[in-house]
Amino acid sequence: MAREISAPVARRYLVLRHLLAPPRSLPAEPSSVMRVFDRLGSLQFDPIDVAGRNHDLALLARIRGYRREWTDGLLYRERSLYETYNKGLSLVPTAELPWYRITWDLWHERLEGTTFKEHASLVEELLERVRRDGTLGSGDVPARAAIDWMWRPTNQVRAILEALALAGVLGLVRRDGNRRVYDLVERLFPADLLQSRPGPDEQRRHRMLSRYRAHGLLGSGGGTGEVWLGTGKTPERALSRAALVAAGTILPVRVEGLREQRYIPASDEAFLDTAEQEVTAGASPGGAAPQVSFLAPLDPLVWDRRLLRDLFGFDYLWEVYVPAAKRRWGYYVLPLLYGDRFAGRIEPRIDRKAGVLSVAGLWWEKGFDPMEASGLPEAMAEALEAHREFGGVAKIELPRHLRPAGFVRLVRAALRERRPSSRAK
């Protein structure tokens, strides 16, 4: 039988289990990165770096003093994490590699009779060079004529290296900016992980579980098909979900006001209990004063856009791929979470050359008055200061066009109080 919870309890549960009540509560140390992955299991990777890369922003919201080199070290030196396709290109724990092998296997099957056959001589040339000389990037080999690859014409060398990585022949050694450097997977991952091959159904169940682990309150539809990419066709998804329920791995819940039954990871039931206790007692999220966090555009908490609308009353669209003339908000706008409500949106930009974190835009949700929220200026100042430190810049700029002007003045004052020598303006 499904457990029934109120909408306020559902909202509180989500921020608690997402390590956002309060935000930036994990210690300022590299091991906190793995604590986030232990909880969420998977974070999407996106290379756009305006305010920080997507996974860095997700970690910054949860870890005090987060530094991007911590995750890079786990990816490219310790190899406790690696890149694979889960919900889009994602970072997942390397220990779970056997349960994501299906990604490599399906790509290998698809490419073997097409791309690898059509470009067999180049495939062998590149593999021989990697075997003989070690790591290889596309810039290390003279460019060849472009071929149709993915969504655009691409240099053959780069395309074939990417294809070999998709098929699990090569793995990512590191990224030099957006330039990828590869090596043979057997040189990068332990032999026992590469030899372990759970069955396809088991791998699909694991991938489906990864979505419930990452989000925490998905239904069967998820509001968008993107949530379920790579988990199989509809009948396969239904079987995987039923198996997870039968095993007690995910538990059904009913949220007041929502038509669709939803599920939580069984390990999260304690967060539901805590959420009910806090809401009943009228306590703040996590028992602390409400704080501000800027969420990544692909943060797992905002995956289900329909749930955001129905549960939080927040309509979010990442407009980075929307033509400029059609954008309602801006290029790289982030959801602004305050306590357990989405109070607005913010567009921060890090200019490392100029040494500035600037706020290009700030919008508040209808019905939310920032001037009436006690403690919000100080909470906003704390979030901005955390973002400034992450960006490694000296100044914070809050342009005059931000509204309401009185609130912005209070934030500037709070920033100066935090850092008397602050150059916030």
Side-chain angles (χ1 to χ4, degrees):
M1 180 179 294
R3 179 170 174 174
E4 296 187 0
I5 60 175
S6 69
V9 167
R11 291 191 288 268
R12 184 64 56 89
Y13 155 76
L14 281 171
V15 297
L16 284 169
R17 63 93 53 195
H18 268 275
L19 301 163
L20 294 168
R24 300 176 296 279
S25 57
L26 294 180
E29 57 193 27
S31 62
S32 290
V33 174
M34 292 308 298
R35 289 181 62 182
V36 174
F37 278 92
D38 288 343
R39 175 71 55 82
L40 304 181
S42 178
L43 290 176
Q44 282 183 259
F45 178 90
D46 188 274
I48 299 174
D49 193 359
V50 175
R53 298 169 299 180
N54 182 78
H55 67 280
D56 288 322
L57 292 174
L59 293 164
L60 174 62
R62 295 163 170 88
I63 301 172
R64 183 175 67 253
Y66 171 72
R67 294 290 180 263
R68 59 189 290 160
E69 55 265 26
W70 295 348
T71 305
D72 288 348
L74 292 167
L75 277 166
Y76 309 130
R77 289 193 299 277
E78 298 180 32
R79 305 206 179 279
S80 302
L81 300 170
Y82 82 109
E83 290 185 21
T84 191
Y85 278 87
N86 189 24
K87 180 188 175 292
L89 183 59
S90 302
L91 308 183
V92 303
T94 303
E96 297 181 24
L97 186 153
W99 289 273
Y100 289 104
R101 282 203 64 104
I102 194 170
T103 299
W104 288 349
D105 295 341
L106 289 174
W107 271 108
H108 197 285
E109 182 180 334
R110 185 184 310 173
L111 294 166
E112 192 171 30
T114 56
T115 302
F116 292 160
K117 184 177 181 180
E118 295 165 16
H119 303 278
S121 60
L122 182 56
V123 168
E124 184 53 37
E125 176 188 339
L126 295 175
L127 286 178
E128 176 56 30
R129 180 158 176 171
V130 174
R131 294 187 194 107
R132 184 186 68 241
D133 301 332
T135 62
L136 184 68
S138 59
D140 298 327
V141 181
R144 313 291 168 86
I147 58 172
D148 288 334
W149 177 245
M150 299 298 188
W151 59 87
R152 65 187 187 280
T154 301
N155 163 24
Q156 284 185 57
V157 173
R158 177 177 176 180
I160 299 305
L161 287 173
E162 289 183 5
L164 290 165
L166 288 170
V169 179
L170 298 180
L172 195 64
V173 176
R174 66 181 184 278
R175 285 178 179 264
D176 294 335
N178 286 329
R179 177 178 175 267
R180 284 167 282 192
V181 180
Y182 303 95
D183 202 348
L184 299 172
V185 292
E186 54 263 35
R187 293 174 179 166
L188 301 177
F189 302 113
D192 59 334
L193 289 181
L194 294 175
Q195 292 165 5
S196 178
R197 289 181 175 271
D201 290 343
E202 187 178 348
Q203 291 188 54
R204 275 190 288 268
R205 285 195 297 273
H206 184 85
R207 290 166 73 94
M208 173 156 282
L209 177 59
S210 78
R211 311 307 159 87
Y212 288 105
R213 288 174 64 195
H215 183 274
L217 194 61
L218 289 175
S220 57
T224 171
E226 292 181 1
V227 171
W228 306 112
L229 285 174
T231 58
K233 297 179 180 179
T234 301
E236 293 170 327
R237 293 201 299 269
L239 289 172
S240 293
R241 188 178 300 108
L244 292 171
V245 172
T249 308
I250 60 174
L251 306 176
V253 296
R254 288 278 183 184
V255 182
E256 69 168 340
L258 302 184
R259 290 176 294 176
E260 184 184 17
Q261 178 171 275
R262 292 180 173 267
Y263 303 87
I264 68 168
S267 56
D268 281 358
E269 196 167 18
F271 294 117
L272 269 187
D273 297 336
T274 301
E276 287 184 332
Q277 293 165 9
E278 288 188 359
V279 170
T280 299
S284 298
Q291 296 297 317
V292 167
S293 55
F294 310 144
L295 298 189
L298 300 172
D299 191 291
L301 181 54
V302 302
W303 278 0
D304 189 340
R305 304 292 201 251
R306 186 173 66 197
L307 182 68
L308 284 182
R309 293 192 297 269
D310 294 346
L311 184 62
F312 291 92
F314 186 67
D315 191 6
Y316 179 64
L317 174 66
W318 189 33
E319 296 181 307
V320 69
Y321 298 115
V322 175
K326 296 184 178 180
R327 289 181 192 135
R328 184 179 179 188
W329 307 108
Y331 176 68
Y332 207 90
V333 174
L334 309 180
L336 191 156
L337 186 71
Y338 179 51
D340 61 1
R341 71 178 296 179
F342 286 90
R345 307 149 207 265
I346 188 168
E347 187 175 11
R349 296 177 181 174
I350 297 172
D351 186 339
R352 293 181 177 85
K353 186 176 181 179
V356 174
L357 169 67
S358 63
V359 178
L362 179 62
W363 304 267
W364 301 102
E365 288 296 280
K366 185 177 180 180
F368 181 84
D369 185 349
M371 296 296 289
E372 294 183 356
S374 176
L376 179 56
E378 292 76 16
M380 177 69 86
E382 180 179 328
L384 287 168
E385 183 66 11
H387 213 108
R388 180 198 65 78
E389 290 181 1
F390 160 73
V393 296
K395 297 185 295 183
I396 297 174
E397 289 185 354
L398 304 176
R400 295 183 180 276
H401 66 76
L402 300 181
R403 292 292 181 269
F407 175 77
V408 177
R409 285 195 293 271
L410 291 174
V411 174
R412 290 194 183 103
L415 286 168
R416 287 193 294 270
E417 188 172 329
R418 292 182 64 86
R419 286 196 304 150
S421 61
S422 170
R423 300 177 65 184
K425 61 180 182 178

